Amino acid sequence: MDAHELPPQEKTLLTHELLNKAYKRLKLEKRRDHMHELISTMLSHRTNHKDEEKAFYTMLERFGDWEGVMNADFEELADAIQTTRYPGQKAPQIQETLRIIKEERGEFNIDFLEDMPVEEAMAWLTKLPGVGPKTATLLLLFNFYKPVMPVDTHVFRISQRVGLIGAKVTANKAHDLLLHMLPDEPVELFNFHVHMLRHGQRVCTFFAPKCEECVLHNICNYYQDVRFKGIDKAA
């Protein structure tokens, strides 16, 4: 059996091992407070990190605190976060999310998620407007060290190209499929996510992936079935 014909779980574990060697393993440490992480991740949809950060700090500088953001004029809030994609959609989602948190918890605080079982925490988060599985899993893994698997565009693209998941698998379904093929340890899931993201940004890019530089090319379906045979260059 050729390496790229390995079963999905074996290939997923090998991908994790190869990327661990290619990129420095990281400690799982909270990078920002829980509310910051939640709202910033909502702002990050279809937006690069630099523009997301600019939007977040412009918003807080203009409106002062979460109370001010929640009660801000819609158009002014959309203008404050204009460096993100779809600010007119994100502004009301952020305000409604803040209202729900304030009404349910009495304050702008989501620390209670730490003591919630994963399924309950996922269900609570994904009821918030603008919060899907990717945002919820990122928050629960990065901030609360829960064993979940965030799947962004890079993780999804590489997983399909390499053959960890099928071509018809949706991004939402990929969260569960990848989770069950990886070690059930938050630090391992965190490193897999971050390494796949970096690999997608640097090597396995959307356009013109650098397959010859890729540590995964021996096990990659796309490389073995398409790029190596020159099919992608055919007229």
Side-chain angles (χ1 to χ4, degrees):
M1 177 186 295
D2 292 334
H4 76 289
E5 297 175 328
L6 289 169
Q9 182 159 16
E10 289 185 39
K11 191 180 282 193
T12 300
L13 293 173
L14 184 53
T15 295
H16 183 38
E17 179 184 337
L18 291 169
L19 293 180
N20 274 338
K21 292 178 181 177
Y23 301 99
K24 182 180 178 182
R25 279 182 60 84
L26 302 170
K27 293 182 179 179
L28 177 51
E29 298 176 331
K30 186 176 72 172
R31 59 181 178 176
R32 44 200 185 189
D33 71 55
H34 303 328
M35 286 297 299
H36 185 162
E37 189 71 48
L38 172 62
I39 302 302
S40 277
T41 306
M42 293 176 69
L43 289 169
S44 74
H45 296 175
R46 304 289 184 181
T47 302
N48 64 46
H49 182 68
K50 180 180 178 181
D51 288 340
E52 166 218 315
E53 288 275 283
K54 183 175 182 180
F56 180 86
Y57 288 110
T58 298
M59 176 180 68
L60 282 187
E61 181 179 345
R62 189 172 300 185
F63 304 112
D65 55 19
W66 296 126
E67 190 81 31
V69 173
M70 182 180 71
N71 294 319
D73 176 79
F74 160 76
E75 292 185 357
E76 290 184 13
L77 178 56
D79 180 70
I81 62 172
Q82 64 178 305
T83 56
T84 70
R85 296 286 300 274
Y86 315 118
Q89 178 180 326
K90 292 175 181 177
Q93 290 175 341
I94 289 171
Q95 289 184 313
E96 182 60 20
T97 289
L98 292 172
R99 287 191 186 97
I100 291 170
I101 293 171
K102 182 69 179 292
E103 288 174 5
E104 288 194 13
R105 311 307 303 182
E107 58 181 340
F108 299 106
N109 189 311
I110 54 173
D111 292 359
F112 69 94
L113 291 170
E114 184 170 358
D115 298 321
M116 260 192 180
V118 171
E119 289 187 5
E120 288 183 32
M122 283 291 296
W124 189 87
L125 284 167
T126 52
K127 286 181 181 178
L128 300 174
V131 177
K134 186 187 79 169
T135 297
T137 50
L138 278 169
L139 177 68
L140 292 178
L141 177 61
F142 281 42
N143 279 54
F144 297 100
Y145 311 146
K146 303 283 189 182
V148 292
M149 182 66 243
V151 176
D152 63 9
T153 56
H154 300 291
V155 175
F156 186 61
R157 180 175 66 252
I158 297 171
S159 295
Q160 286 197 320
R161 281 180 176 169
V162 176
L164 312 186
I165 58 175
K168 295 183 179 181
V169 170
T170 65
N172 285 350
K173 182 63 176 176
H175 287 82
D176 290 330
L177 289 177
L178 290 171
L179 175 64
H180 290 105
M181 292 191 291
L182 288 160
D184 187 25
E185 300 174 27
V187 68
E188 299 300 329
L189 298 168
F190 172 74
N191 273 278
F192 182 83
H193 170 82
V194 173
H195 292 161
M196 290 279 272
L197 183 150
R198 290 181 175 176
H199 199 63
Q201 291 173 331
R202 301 174 184 181
V203 180
C204 193
T205 50
F206 184 80
F207 293 109
K210 304 176 181 67
C211 294
E212 291 71 20
E213 301 176 18
C214 182
V215 297
L216 304 177
H217 73 261
N218 284 334
I219 63 171
C220 178
N221 288 358
Y222 173 77
Y223 180 77
Q224 297 296 331
D225 296 338
V226 178
R227 178 60 67 87
F228 183 71
K229 296 177 182 178
I231 296 174
D232 60 318
K233 300 177 182 177

